Amino acid sequence: MSNFTNDAFGAGHDHIFLGAAHADNERRTWMVIALCSAMMVAEIVGGSLFGSLALVADGLHMSTHAGAMLIAALAYTYARRHATDSRFVFGTGKLGDLAGFTSAIVLAMIALLIGYEAVSRFFSPVPIHFGQAIPIAVVGLLVNLASVWLLSGDHHGHSHGHSHGHSHGHGHEGEHGHDDEVQRVFGTAGVFAVSIFEDGVPPVFRITPETANSKLTSDSVSVVTIRPDGTRQTFAFAERNGYLESKEDIPEPHAFRAVVRLPDGEHEIEFEEHDHGHDDAHDAASRDHNIRAAYVHVIADAAVSVLAIIGLVLARAFGWLWMDPLAGVVGALVIANWSWGLMRDTGGILLDMNPDRRMAENVRHVIEDNGDTVLDLHLWRVGPGHMSAIVSVVTHEAQRNPDFYHAALKRFRGLSHVTVEINPTRAAAY
């Protein structure tokens, strides 16, 4: 007997999984295209009027720069206009990753061309017109810096509305992060670190043994918080891999006394509220790779301009003509490295690789802490800051329907679409 549903929460049934900064990034990208296009026209017209072949060549180079930006801009525009198109089963949120992958290939080709040209100049040096080349390189650098400034508002892909929160002890299992948010309890069974932890879910307590052979069971531990207004809340715990984690979330603010009940008695500690920045634990899941690709392109171009200026200045000052092609080789290697990183990240998303294994682990814990068993679990990214999940559950409770699991999983920020398959046991079915 099976109960299957594909009801979603978070983004709703319209399947709009665009990044929270989609409109702003689209606007920024078109602004960079306008800047590069204006510079391109000025250089080509000016070079033609004044007979400067170098200026015309740089203008043509600027056209490739604008073309690369056009990939990102068109992806934003198309994704926005077709966000509600039912033909896209999971929306158009991954179109930016496709554009980012395409841009990564373009960057790789540019790296190869620069590297080939640089190596050929080692063996066949060409005369350099320093009077023209250096000013053009400086102008190109200024345009690239302006482009970097225009794109830098959200190039890391912080998905506002999905990635904000408190960084209470981010890290791997058992790590506590900031020492000022970890309190230690000294009991007869050993020393235990009590921390407030958040990694993709609302804050929870974690209790981790810090001495050898120290071990606690979930039924022998509880925490009672006492807030300044006298409000009390009791937290039960579940056993994890080497530590205990509270089943209940910790409400804001995180300023309270906490009574930790261990087998040897009660221990009182105190937590103070701290100012916290962005939650970066889910950068991989929330990063906008389209704006990242555009940003990497202009940064790469700026880096090449800087290396070119250095090479040209040294070549003119000391007669080191080999410095110019050497700068080209270094620039090609830098661009190739950035291209590979972008290709790897976007390719993984296009192949539905799970970018947030910790969230998958936490989803499994939430369901199994309620006494059920997870038969199958798949998580993948459908857009910047949006994850989708398919969960197959075995339950002994006949009254548990898909809404029960949707409510339990609403705690996960960025989990925008959930499909639940319920498999009641024979006892539950009757």
Side-chain angles (χ1 to χ4, degrees), residues 18 24 44 68 74 85 101-102 125-126 163 226 288 296 298 306 381 398:
L18 303 180
D24 187 47
I44 292 177
L74 291 177
D85 191 333
F101 187 82
T102 305
V126 297
S163 298
I226 306 171
D288 186 333
V296 167
V298 296
V306 170
R381 185 177 121 146

Side-chain angles (χ1 to χ4, degrees), residues 282-336:
H282 294 280
D283 246 6
S286 62
R287 182 181 292 126
D288 186 333
H289 289 293
N290 196 21
I291 197 70
R292 177 190 171 198
Y295 188 82
V296 167
H297 187 93
V298 296
I299 280 287
D301 223 26
V304 170
S305 296
V306 170
L307 290 170
I309 292 169
I310 294 173
L312 289 169
V313 169
L314 291 177
R316 184 172 67 173
F318 301 102
W320 298 344
L321 297 181
W322 50 266
M323 277 299 303
D324 183 55
L326 178 62
V329 170
V330 174
L333 292 175
V334 170
I335 294 174

Side-chain angles (χ1 to χ4, degrees), residues 377-397:
L377 173 61
H378 298 279
L379 260 76
W380 71 98
R381 185 177 121 146
V382 291
H386 296 284
M387 297 282 286
S388 182
I390 295 178
V391 190
S392 180
V393 181
V394 173
T395 181
H396 300 280
E397 305 292 337

Side-chain angles (χ1 to χ4, degrees), residues 5 13 16-18 22 86 109 131 144 185 220 233 236 253 265-266 328 335 356 364 366 383 411 414:
T5 181
H13 293 279
I16 298 177
F17 301 124
L18 303 180
H22 186 96
S86 61
M109 294 174 65
N144 287 319
V185 172
S220 66
Q233 182 179 0
E266 296 183 348
I335 294 174
D356 192 349
R364 183 181 296 274
V366 165
R411 66 174 65 186

